[in-house]
Amino acid sequence: FEVHHTDDGEAEELTGITVTYHSNYPDGSTEDTAAETGLNRNEEFTAKGADTFTCAGYVLSAWNTAADGSGYQFDLGAALFADKLSSNDLYAVWEPANDVEYTVYHVRQDTDGTWPELTDTTLVETEVLNNGTTGQSATATNRSYTGFYVDTEKTGTQNTGTVLADGSLVLYVYYARNT
């Protein structure tokens, strides 16, 4: 156990330094931590990678010395040095994922003028897409069905929505029969 005395006479550790990684989840969920332990002062170590923490709808993209992103930013896997003279806390920086799943129901009106249940695979087509970006708008692409038109006035129509991190966005496009 080595110590170093600072100008004010305080002893400072030169070994046994811990670097703490904070998940800093963008969805506000409970924080997780990971650590590099037993480092010596000024010892080089490799910053943890993208698999350190996961958060649905987001990609871990970097580390920052401040939780709000206002500090120094480091790449994942960057060569860093342990320094007990400053904060040894690194906070995850998250970017919205661009492969988030969302669902579009294409619902065709029945011959009697009623609308089918979503489980009716004869008149309902389910489209599961995985190209949404968390927090961005997604719009259903209308399909063309012979004898039908897109009924934008049908209650429940939602052909545009914001992609949610958990993949729960559902869009509904209704197709009424031509009369």
Side-chain angles (χ1 to χ4, degrees):
F1 185 82
E2 296 178 49
V3 296
H4 163 248
H5 291 281
T6 62
D7 291 341
D8 62 6
E10 291 289 317
E12 186 170 317
E13 288 184 40
L14 296 179
T15 62
I17 293 173
T18 297
V19 174
T20 304
Y21 297 87
H22 300 269
S23 59
N24 201 27
Y25 292 125
D27 62 4
S29 59
T30 304
E31 180 172 273
D32 291 321
T33 58
E36 298 277 347
T37 60
L39 298 170
N40 296 317
R41 184 163 177 244
N42 294 325
E43 179 180 346
E44 184 176 337
F45 66 98
T46 302
K48 290 191 176 290
D51 61 346
T52 306
F53 303 113
T54 59
C55 184
Y58 293 89
V59 176
L60 180 57
S61 63
W63 298 107
N64 198 293
T65 57
D68 66 1
S70 64
Y72 295 103
Q73 189 154 305
F74 303 101
D75 291 337
L76 303 175
L80 302 176
F81 294 90
D83 181 4
K84 195 62 174 176
L85 298 176
S86 64
S87 171
N88 287 311
D89 292 299
L90 294 174
Y91 297 88
V93 176
W94 298 93
E95 298 294 331
N98 62 6
D99 60 353
V100 178
E101 188 173 280
Y102 64 98
T103 304
V104 180
Y105 288 108
H106 297 273
V107 184
R108 289 173 286 166
Q109 190 177 38
D110 207 337
T111 54
D112 64 4
T114 62
W115 295 95
E117 297 293 321
L118 294 178
T119 55
D120 181 345
T121 57
T122 304
L123 294 171
V124 178
E125 288 185 46
T126 304
E127 182 179 21
V128 179
L129 302 164
N130 63 352
N131 62 351
T133 299
T134 300
Q136 299 295 312
S137 181
T139 301
T141 301
N142 295 336
R143 293 191 173 172
S144 178
Y145 297 107
T146 302
F148 293 87
Y149 66 94
V150 175
D151 186 352
T152 58
E153 303 300 316
K154 164 74 173 90
T155 302
T157 296
Q158 182 182 353
N159 69 343
T160 301
T162 301
V163 176
L164 303 172
D166 65 1
S168 63
L169 173 63
V170 179
L171 302 176
Y172 300 90
V173 182
Y174 290 92
Y175 302 85
R177 290 186 176 272
N178 293 327
T179 53

